[in-house]
Amino acid sequence: MKSKILEVGKSQYTLRDQFGLSITKLAKKNKKIIVLDADVAGGTGLHRFRKKFPKRFFQCGIAEQNMISLAGGLASLGFIPIVTTFSVFMLRGLEQARLSIAYNNSNVKLVASHPGLDVGPDGGSAQCLEDLAIFRSLPNFRVISPADPNEMDSAVKEIIKFKGPVYMRTGRSEIKKIFTKKYKFKIGKGKIIKKGEDLSIIACGVMVERALVASKKLEKEGIKARVVNMSSIKPIDKDLIIKCAKETKKFIIAEDHNKFGGLGSAVSEVISEFCPIKVKYISVQDEFGISGEPNELAEKFNLDYKAIIKLAKKLNLKK
Amino acid sequence: MSKFDQDVNYIRALILLSIFKAKSGHPGGSLSSVDFLYFLFDKVLKLKKKDFKNWNRNYFILSKGHCAPALYAVGFIKKFLSFNSLLNLRKIDSNTQGHTDLRKLNWVGASTGSLGQGLSYATGIALGLKSKKVNKKVFVMVGDGEIQEGQVWESLMFSAHYKLDNLIIILDYNKIQSDDFNKNIMNFEPLKDKLISFGMNVQEIDGHNFNQIKNCLLRIKKNKKPNFIISHTIKGKGVTFMENKPQWHGSVKLTFEQIKEALIELNNFEKLRKYL
Ligand SMILES: Cc1ncc(C[n+]2csc(CCOP(=O)(O)OP(=O)(O)O)c2C)c(N)n1
Ligand SMILES: [Mg+2]
């Protein structure tokens, strides 16, 4: 069956590039948008914004704590500051994000490139596997991780529409296009992007495409795996989780993140309270990454489609 | 005694009264900073309660947020706060939280309590006002212990780089931080040289002297450099048994005898005894 929102193929842009493009486009109309950077605009995709709007681009130097508190002050004047750096360096300003942004419910967007093992060759120090857990724990923060450039474009519009703090992952690697332009991201909403009733694979970010591949291959072996894109990690789509739990009875939750506190935990919190079912996790097993290409790392750390297939078979055998 | 000094004595008494009622709070740095705070709110900022809804105005931010009792007492005098709120400092459901809190009071400018952040936040406001081409000023007060935070120096670099001459940083230099004198905890002298090399216009004054406070603010330059006022003060100023003693930093539970002695010295015991 052909779906209107699904169309897997080559993508011209990475998630970070798409973010740069989308926010620059949106900023033409929305003059409140400004960008703060800590000397990594080339890496975050914001060099485009800098070129187009030099007066609305504020270089903060390699000083993330100041940058994040500063954004709170700017937001109090009605600006919409987009704070950009690598995921791992956002953690440097965690306490600043807590008091100068979350506490006042300030309209600041922290947009982080380089999340997860997906960072690749830069290695373990740069591969942030803790950000979803950390920012999810801050009151008022929304936490999202779009899966492809078209969803990113839609997400950019949504996070600017939303008045309040957002932490959003972009991504560094070459990725596939998954969705058509019809796909619309909504804060707090997940979406079933492939049907199936034997189990559900709940995924976010780069794991969504891998989940789709796994589901397709499983089909050939007679296992119908539903795929859910859960790009809004906080707030999480409780209703959809309950629906899928009732309909498929088994979950695999997949994320490019440590096993604690991220999407796996967010979904499990709903399950354990409202609809206890069998759950398995695809995530990094409480360790740090290493250098390598993203696909090599995905294989080594059991984050690739093969790992999903293996787990799905295990789950399904125990029907 | 001048009217100003009389007012400030009364404010000092209110600070201690509120801390006495709260059974906790930081008297030392509140008492040292209050002359400058009162001068700013009384003579410089000229803000009315309704002005705080508007972003296009002057700002004051207390980055050393544990000295909130001083800001609240000044706020009471300027009619931003009720007497009842002042006496409910740190109490459940009060708007006078232990540290200044934007969720409760819009006129405090920033939520503080984590040292170092308020300065960056104020710097963000100064940058925003500049880029909106609005000719308004941002005053921000930091503590001497506070400037040991790396974030403070990040923000000084930033305000110098962006030529934020609408930013006026006041250091309440009372020489004492939480546990001990600065020089015993972590020396940062020579400070003036550091600040000049960071691109600040630096002035040094006696922060308990009305004329010096007034004059330093008249000398604020518009020369594309942020302004930094080193205001030498005495921690615990005005109450002899508290002056210059680290143990009066906070969080202090005052006895009745202590509050009585303090209010007597501040000439406000008779006026305020009914609230004790
Ligand atoms: C980041 C941070 N670390 C530690 C504290 C705990 N603390 C509260 S006040 C204080 C001492 C501050 O000294 P100073 O800045 O000199 O303040 P003042 O003397 O004016 O009271 C400390 C360490 C804090 N509030 N924030
Ligand atoms: Mg001090």
Side-chain angles (χ1 to χ4, degrees):
Chain A
M1 197 185 71
K2 232 179 154 57
S3 144
K4 273 181 293 181
I5 51 162
L6 214 58
E7 189 181 276
V8 180
K10 263 202 150 122
S11 166
Q12 196 181 348
Y13 299 112
T14 60
L15 288 175
R16 54 179 170 158
D17 282 334
Q18 186 60 54
F19 175 74
L21 287 166
S22 300
I23 196 73
T24 306
K25 195 166 155 215
L26 204 60
K28 269 181 221 158
K29 274 187 260 154
N30 189 335
K31 303 276 187 272
K32 292 179 182 168
I33 296 172
I34 56 174
V35 167
L36 308 186
D37 164 48
D39 194 27
V40 288
T44 55
L46 270 301
H47 52 290
R48 291 185 180 84
F49 187 99
R50 174 172 59 194
K51 207 163 157 207
K52 190 95 191 165
F53 303 108
K55 291 223 165 78
R56 289 157 64 185
F57 176 91
F58 298 100
Q59 179 56 258
C60 298
I62 311 164
E64 294 78 9
Q65 301 177 38
N66 179 57
M67 172 168 71
I68 292 176
S69 289
L70 197 85
L74 283 159
S76 76
L77 300 181
F79 289 103
I80 306 175
I82 314 289
V83 177
T84 57
T85 184
F86 300 173
S87 298
V88 76
F89 305 132
M90 286 293 182
L91 306 193
R92 174 78 64 113
L94 169 61
E95 205 235 323
Q96 284 73 13
R98 179 181 179 275
L99 184 64
S100 295
I101 295 174
Y103 200 79
N104 309 316
N105 206 2
S106 297
N107 195 14
V108 175
K109 319 299 167 187
L110 306 184
V111 179
S113 65
H114 296 62
L117 294 178
D118 189 60
V119 172
D122 279 349
S125 73
Q127 293 158 352
C128 189
L129 296 164
E130 306 84 12
D131 53 336
L132 300 179
I134 285 167
F135 284 97
R136 199 166 73 88
S137 71
L138 293 181
N140 291 331
F141 257 92
R142 306 295 193 266
V143 178
I144 67 182
S145 175
D148 97 322
N150 279 331
E151 186 182 22
M152 176 58 76
D153 187 57
S154 171
V156 169
K157 292 173 192 143
E158 286 298 304
I159 66 170
I160 297 298
K161 248 191 245 160
F162 170 73
K163 213 167 174 244
V166 172
Y167 176 86
M168 181 167 79
R169 273 183 166 193
T170 67
R172 179 187 168 277
S173 70
E174 304 293 329
I175 53 155
K176 288 227 168 70
K177 183 178 79 139
I178 304 174
F179 303 119
T180 64
K181 286 209 171 8
K182 289 216 176 78
Y183 192 92
K184 294 290 172 245
F185 168 85
K186 286 260 176 289
I187 291 178
K189 291 282 173 223
K191 207 171 206 116
I192 299 170
I193 58 172
K194 190 170 182 303
K195 289 184 181 163
E197 48 282 339
D198 293 335
L199 72 137
S200 298
I201 309 170
I202 318 271
C204 69
V206 292
M207 297 309 297
V208 176
E209 192 258 337
R210 295 171 195 168
L212 281 170
V213 174
S215 169
K216 245 194 199 135
K217 299 210 186 263
L218 283 165
E219 224 166 65
K220 289 187 187 127
E221 309 195 26
I223 298 174
K224 297 197 185 75
R226 177 180 295 189
V227 179
V228 178
N229 178 22
M230 200 59 88
S231 38
S232 178
I233 291 132
K234 181 188 172 185
I236 195 92
D237 193 340
K238 185 176 126 191
D239 294 343
L240 183 62
I241 293 170
I242 294 172
K243 174 181 151 75
C244 292
K246 284 191 176 140
E247 289 172 1
T248 72
K249 305 285 191 302
K250 295 173 202 135
F251 276 9
I252 290 175
I253 310 169
E255 60 189 322
D256 186 0
H257 187 272
N258 196 15
K259 67 195 282 196
F260 299 119
L263 180 68
S265 301
V267 174
S268 300
E269 284 157 17
V270 176
I271 292 173
S272 58
E273 187 171 355
F274 300 102
C275 47
I277 54 160
K278 186 106 186 132
V279 181
K280 291 276 177 199
Y281 303 95
I282 293 279
S283 53
V284 176
Q285 298 306 299
D286 202 26
E287 58 184 323
F288 295 106
I290 52 173
S291 287
E293 290 307 318
N295 58 331
E296 295 169 333
L297 290 166
E299 189 175 344
K300 189 174 172 69
F301 286 82
N302 293 317
L303 253 58
D304 59 353
Y305 76 85
K306 288 184 217 151
I308 301 175
I309 289 174
K310 228 167 129 184
L311 211 52
K313 283 186 183 162
K314 245 196 207 162
L315 256 180
N316 212 51
L317 285 176
K318 292 187 197 145
K319 249 185 199 177
Chain B
M1 197 185 267
S2 71
K3 166 85 169 62
F4 185 84
D5 286 337
Q6 274 175 29
D7 286 354
V8 172
N9 260 355
Y10 179 48
I11 297 171
R12 286 201 161 88
L14 291 175
I15 290 170
L16 293 175
L17 174 64
S18 67
I19 292 174
F20 172 74
K21 300 290 268 186
K23 301 191 186 72
S24 71
H26 299 73
S30 297
L31 294 174
S32 64
S33 59
V34 73
D35 307 69
F36 212 119
L37 280 182
Y38 181 52
F39 188 90
L40 276 179
F41 275 90
D42 197 51
K43 308 268 190 272
V44 183
L45 292 166
K46 304 218 170 83
L47 291 163
K48 303 225 163 43
K49 204 170 177 187
K50 64 170 170 31
D51 297 332
F52 293 100
K53 289 197 191 99
N54 180 2
W55 63 264
N56 189 348
R57 59 173 167 96
N58 292 319
Y59 285 79
F60 174 78
I61 281 163
L62 185 65
S63 193
K64 48 171 219 158
H66 58 283
C67 299
L71 189 58
Y72 296 154
V74 169
F76 163 68
I77 300 288
K78 300 312 294 177
K79 300 193 166 61
F80 305 154
L81 199 69
S82 70
F83 191 65
N84 208 29
S85 289
L86 194 65
L87 294 193
N88 276 323
L89 174 69
R90 291 176 165 244
K91 294 264 171 25
I92 187 87
D93 293 334
S94 71
N95 55 6
T96 42
Q97 298 284 295
H99 296 78
T100 65
D101 195 321
L102 265 186
R103 299 174 306 167
K104 303 284 183 184
L105 298 169
N106 66 353
W107 59 270
V108 296
S111 297
T112 54
S114 171
L115 296 169
Q117 293 196 35
L119 177 57
S120 295
Y121 196 95
T123 305
I125 294 175
L127 175 72
L129 292 172
K130 274 259 170 197
S131 69
K132 284 177 185 273
K133 303 210 167 30
V134 166
N135 195 15
K136 293 279 156 51
K137 289 192 168 67
V138 181
F139 297 86
V140 50
M141 182 179 277
V142 296
D144 44 24
E146 181 175 14
I147 65 169
Q148 290 163 352
E149 278 289 352
Q151 182 175 3
V152 166
W153 301 92
E154 291 181 3
S155 84
L156 294 181
M157 236 184 304
F158 185 98
S159 56
H161 184 86
Y162 281 92
K163 304 185 170 62
L164 301 181
D165 53 11
N166 57 343
L167 181 67
I168 297 128
I169 305 161
I170 300 133
L171 171 67
D172 184 34
Y173 195 2
N174 58 27
K175 320 294 183 293
I176 295 173
Q177 47 195 99
S178 186
D179 263 5
D180 203 343
F181 289 84
N182 308 136
K183 63 177 192 293
N184 298 333
I185 299 279
M186 184 55 63
N187 178 50
F188 47 73
E189 288 288 356
L191 181 61
K192 192 173 179 181
D193 295 349
K194 287 192 180 75
L195 294 168
I196 290 170
S197 73
F198 265 67
M200 305 284 123
N201 290 318
V202 184
Q203 299 188 53
E204 257 185 300
I205 63 153
D206 172 354
H208 298 306
N209 182 308
F210 176 88
N211 283 320
Q212 290 197 32
I213 296 172
K214 186 172 108 191
N215 289 332
C216 85
L217 291 172
L218 292 173
R219 284 194 300 265
I220 292 296
K221 290 186 190 147
K222 280 214 83 174
N223 62 351
K224 301 202 153 65
K225 287 178 167 193
N227 290 280
F228 198 110
I229 298 163
I230 300 176
S231 173
H232 290 278
T233 57
I234 295 166
K235 198 149 175 169
K237 170 75 180 177
V239 180
T240 306
F241 70 85
M242 290 185 175
E243 283 189 3
N244 227 2
K245 294 206 177 65
Q247 72 261 35
W248 290 102
H249 165 72
S251 200
V252 180
K253 197 169 168 178
L254 287 165
T255 64
F256 182 81
E257 287 312 311
Q258 286 166 336
I259 183 75
K260 185 177 171 189
E261 186 180 339
L263 293 188
I264 288 171
E265 186 173 355
L266 292 165
N267 280 325
N268 273 285
F269 181 64
E270 289 311 322
K271 189 168 175 182
L272 295 176
R273 68 183 304 172
K274 61 174 177 281
Y275 302 109
L276 292 176

